[in-house]
Amino acid sequence: MTHKLFECNACGYVIFVPDGARDPDWCPQCRSVMSRVADHDGPAGDDHACDECGYAFRTPQGAQPPYKCASCNRTFPNEPNKRVGHKL
């Protein structure tokens, strides 16, 4: 499956979005604007999906986990035992 590669204009955070999916609204790490860099074939990495809006994206292996959903601004739980996410 082909993915669209996006890079944050401010912090350089990288995400991959499945081809055909909506582009991200902002960086899931620092909330800045992301730019589309290229198309990429099936990158290895960690899949993330928002429990609230269902937006799905992938981060490269070893990348810091995302802080927020790239679409709806939901905060992802940052500890393994924490299950509550929230929106600001």
Side-chain angles (χ1 to χ4, degrees):
M1 173 190 276
T2 302
H3 286 73
K4 298 180 281 186
L5 170 61
F6 288 87
E7 183 177 33
C8 177
N9 294 345
C11 72
Y13 197 75
V14 172
I15 66 170
F16 301 94
V17 178
D19 196 29
R22 192 169 64 70
D23 291 351
D25 292 327
W26 43 68
C27 175
Q29 200 62 19
C30 76
R31 316 310 292 147
S32 190
V33 177
M34 298 195 87
S35 295
R36 186 171 176 175
V37 177
D39 291 335
H40 196 282
D41 291 330
D46 299 315
D47 291 320
H48 305 280
C50 179
D51 291 338
E52 188 162 317
C53 73
Y55 192 76
F57 58 95
R58 182 176 287 173
T59 55
Q61 286 181 325
Q64 185 174 0
Y67 171 62
K68 295 267 192 176
C69 173
S71 179
C72 78
N73 206 35
R74 179 182 180 273
T75 302
F76 292 129
N78 59 356
E79 296 178 20
N81 295 327
K82 185 175 178 184
R83 298 189 194 334
V84 177
H86 55 84
K87 274 181 132 173
L88 297 176

